[in-house]
Every structure is written in structure tokens, then in C-alpha cells.
Amino acid sequence: MNYNDYNDYNNQNDSFGDDTKEKINFSEWGDDPYTYPGDGAPVLIDEAKEKKNFSRLGFGYALFSVISLAASLIIQLAVLRLAPDFYQTTLFMNILSPISLYIFALPVLLIIISSSEAKAPPKRRMGFGAFLVFLIVSFGCMYIGSYIGNFTMSVISSVMNYDYSNALNSIIDYDNLWITAIFTVIVAPIAEELVFRKLIIDRTQKYGGFVCVLLSALIFGLMHGNLYQFFYCFFLGLILGYIYYSTGKIHLTIVIHAIINFFGSIFSAWLSPIAEKMLELTESSDTEAYIEFLSEHGLELLLMSGFSIFIYASMLAAIILPIVLRKKIVLARGEITIPKNRIFKVVFLNAGILVMLIVYALEFALNLLPL
């Protein structure tokens, strides 16, 4: 049995590549320290070596976070001193994070993990029907996570008696949406999919689908550094990670990520002033102004209603479809199978991952300080 053949998608008429399919019988796993490659011969895993691989990854992403935060602070202080007017612009708010993350921090991450073996998942086809299913489920997961994040922060706000703000809202300028669109819909999806999907999964898919998808999603969620974004980034990361792991095609996750960012930020921001004005007119009981507003913004209100219906439908789909299609969701064992009773110890109980978790915990704590 070849355990590197992961899964196949259901649309047999649309072909993006190979359609090899293999079911994995997880009952074949044992709790012993052996892994079973394709020929079935047991091989004792080198636990110390595998922990070192995960540790290297953890140290890399810990420094990635620390360096990006330091670079962001230094850049802000420099701009405040040298060009205070530019500091308040939409362009600066949008370029600050990409510069800090991908110009200053990314090279260090790449150096640290360069010695880890990287192997992309085998290319698999995805039919257009399957792509739409994943897209809808991704929307649903994002909004479910967003509701959980907002609810969690509302509880914390009540307990702390402090009104926290969502940092994401600060970079959206309704008068310059095109600038936000460039970075949110183009730059962010490409960069984040390469850094949090490809770099991680290419180096961990040899341990199997469960490990690489979970770790990629967890780091993606934690890297955002706040509870507003953690839950929806983690849920979305699970879906996007599974897509890349199963197809080996990073462009599919980039496209889905870009579509979600467009509707979740740009499209919503465009409709937000109209929704606020409509609510204001409804509360004012000015019937004449309300009717006039409806006649002037009929298309926008129709789009807003349709999008609201789609959001709730996608959330329902995100709950139902994984249950209905559970037999088609295959997380295969990798070339190196970590026994189930050792997964947590090997993946998380190592120096690098523990340091990474501490760094992210401190970042979350700093964002919860009432300043």
C-alpha cells in the first residue's frame, strides 16, 4: 500500500491532474514507537530527530513574530519622527505589516528552517464542484470563527471593563478602499499562503495529514496575535491547509483566500456605510427620507440582503457538509507515522514549539492590556 496517495476529489468530469485515490485504514495504527512504510516493514522512529525538526520550525516562527513586531515598532517610531503626516495615511497602515513580516522577518525564518527537508504534497486534481464546496465551507468557517472571536472579546471586555477594538478595522479606509484592496486581496493571500501553508506543510506533510494541517492552521491563527482573528484564522487555516495538502496546488488556496478577503473586508466595508445609514433612518421614523434612500440605493441594499443570506447559508453548510462528506475527507499517514500516543509529545513538547507558544501567548496578553 502506498501511503503517500492521499485522496481524490469527486468531480470525475473536471480534470486538474492525477485522480489516484486510496483509503487509509487508521485501525492499522498501533501505539508502539514504530512506523510502517509502504512495504509494511516496521521501522523504529527516531523520536529525538523528529522533535528536533519541529523544534526548528517553532524557533523559526517565534523569531518571525518577534522580529516583525520589533521591525514594526522601529518603523513606526521612525516615520513618526521623520514623516508624521505619512504615519496617518491609509498607505502606511497597509504597508507596515507586509514590510515588517516579509522584508525583515521572513529572511530569518527561511534561514532557520532551510536545513529542514521540504517536499510538496503530490499534485491531485480538484473538480470545480469540489472547489465551490470548499469555498462555501471556507466562508462559513470564517464567519463562525468571527462570531466566536467577537463573543469572546465581548466577554473579556465586560470582565475587564474596557472597550477593546478590532485592529483589523483600523486599516480599512472607506475613502481609499482600493489601497486596502491591493494589500488585502492580493498581497496578503499570496504571502500568507506561501508562509503559513506551503512552508509549513512542505516540511511536515511527511508526518501525515493530521499533523501538517493542524500545525499550519494553529500557527496561522496564533500569528495574528489577537482573539478577534484567532478563531476564524484557525478554522480557515484548517480548510486551506487540507486543500493544499490534498492537491499540492498552492494557487487554489491563494484564490480562495483572496475571494474571502475581498468579501470579508472590501465588499463589507463598501456596504457598511449604507447599512449604517439605513439603520439611522429606520430609527428616525422619517418615512419620506427612508423611501428616498431605498430608491437611491436599491442595488446596494439588494446586494447587502443577498450577502447576509449567503453568510448564514455558508455557516450552516460549514457545519453540515463536513458531516455529510466525512467519508471523502482523508488525512493519510505520512512517510513517518508518529504513533498516536506520542504525537503531542513529539510535535509540541520540544524547545522550539514551546518557545513559539510562549511568544504568541505574550503577544495575545499584550493585546489584552487595557491601554
Side-chain angles (χ1 to χ4, degrees):
M1 179 182 290
N2 183 358
Y3 291 108
N4 288 320
D5 290 338
Y6 298 133
N7 86 346
D8 181 48
Y9 287 90
N10 56 347
N11 190 332
Q12 298 298 323
N13 295 321
D14 298 321
S15 179
F16 280 29
D18 185 11
D19 65 348
T20 304
K21 178 178 181 179
E22 181 170 332
K23 297 287 185 180
I24 302 300
N25 181 7
F26 287 98
S27 64
E28 295 176 7
W29 288 33
D31 286 337
D32 52 68
Y34 293 91
T35 182
Y36 296 87
D39 59 5
V43 178
L44 185 66
I45 66 169
D46 187 341
E47 198 167 284
K49 176 183 176 182
E50 310 315 333
K51 289 180 71 173
K52 185 176 180 180
N53 286 334
F54 286 105
S55 183
R56 186 182 298 113
L57 201 66
F59 276 125
Y61 279 90
L63 279 175
F64 181 70
S65 180
V66 170
I67 292 172
S68 65
L69 288 173
S72 176
L73 179 60
I74 293 171
I75 292 170
Q76 289 183 77
L77 292 174
V79 172
L80 271 174
R81 181 178 179 84
L82 301 175
D85 292 337
F86 181 61
Y87 184 85
Q88 300 295 333
T89 64
T90 302
L91 180 59
F92 177 72
M93 287 188 290
N94 278 277
I95 67 173
L96 177 61
S97 181
I99 290 176
S100 303
L101 287 168
Y102 307 119
I103 293 181
F104 289 96
L106 181 58
V108 176
L109 169 64
L110 293 176
I111 291 172
I112 292 175
I113 67 174
S114 62
S115 59
S116 297
E117 179 187 6
K119 182 179 179 181
K123 292 260 190 304
R124 296 288 186 272
R125 71 184 188 84
M126 175 183 284
F128 185 68
F131 179 85
L132 288 179
V133 168
F134 277 115
L135 179 61
I136 293 170
V137 171
S138 296
F139 266 104
C141 286
M142 185 188 76
Y143 281 103
I144 290 173
S146 181
Y147 277 114
I148 294 174
N150 288 331
F151 174 76
T152 302
M153 287 306 299
S154 68
V155 172
I156 294 176
S157 296
S158 177
V159 172
M160 299 291 291
N161 195 27
Y162 182 80
D163 186 18
Y164 293 96
S165 60
N166 190 342
L168 186 63
N169 295 331
S170 64
I171 66 171
I172 298 178
D173 183 347
Y174 298 104
D175 296 325
N176 296 283
L177 280 180
W178 66 272
I179 295 178
T180 305
I182 291 174
F183 289 93
T184 304
V185 182
I186 300 175
V187 176
I190 294 174
E192 290 180 356
E193 290 308 305
L194 291 175
V195 172
F196 297 104
R197 229 69 59 198
K198 185 168 178 58
L199 284 183
I200 296 174
I201 291 178
D202 283 4
R203 286 161 177 78
T204 56
Q205 60 96 11
K206 63 184 176 182
Y207 300 104
F210 174 79
V211 171
C212 69
V213 171
L214 177 63
L215 190 61
S216 170
L218 182 62
I219 294 177
F220 181 55
L222 291 173
M223 186 63 197
H224 285 78
N226 64 84
L227 292 173
Y228 277 114
Q229 295 175 278
F230 169 75
F231 294 98
Y232 78 73
C233 288
F234 175 69
F235 293 157
L236 182 60
L238 290 175
I239 304 299
L240 296 179
Y242 180 77
I243 292 172
Y244 176 59
Y245 160 76
S246 300
T247 67
K249 299 175 181 178
I250 197 65
H251 69 272
L252 294 179
T253 68
I254 291 174
V255 170
I256 291 178
H257 196 152
I259 293 172
I260 288 175
N261 278 11
F262 171 78
F263 282 99
S265 58
I266 306 304
F267 186 75
S268 298
W270 173 58
L271 292 177
S272 182
I274 297 174
E276 293 174 0
K277 182 64 176 179
M278 184 177 178
L279 180 61
E280 178 186 327
L281 290 173
T282 302
E283 294 175 347
S284 69
S285 301
D286 188 341
T287 305
E288 183 178 343
Y290 183 77
I291 294 174
E292 182 180 353
F293 182 79
L294 289 178
S295 63
E296 291 177 354
H297 299 279
L299 177 60
E300 292 94 332
L301 292 171
L302 182 63
L303 289 173
M304 186 170 62
S305 299
F307 188 57
S308 298
I309 294 172
F310 172 75
I311 288 174
Y312 290 108
S314 67
M315 291 170 63
L316 187 63
I319 297 172
I320 294 175
L321 286 178
I323 298 174
V324 173
L325 302 175
R326 63 188 181 280
K327 292 184 179 180
K328 295 182 179 293
I329 300 173
V330 179
L331 292 171
R333 79 168 62 164
E335 298 172 8
I336 301 173
T337 300
I338 304 173
K340 289 181 289 186
N341 64 340
R342 286 173 168 79
I343 288 179
F344 182 79
K345 178 181 178 182
V346 173
V347 177
F348 294 102
L349 296 185
N350 57 76
I353 293 294
L354 289 175
V355 168
M356 181 193 75
L357 293 176
I358 291 172
V359 168
Y360 287 140
L362 290 173
E363 187 176 348
F364 274 74
L366 287 173
N367 282 322
L368 289 176
L369 289 177
L371 301 175

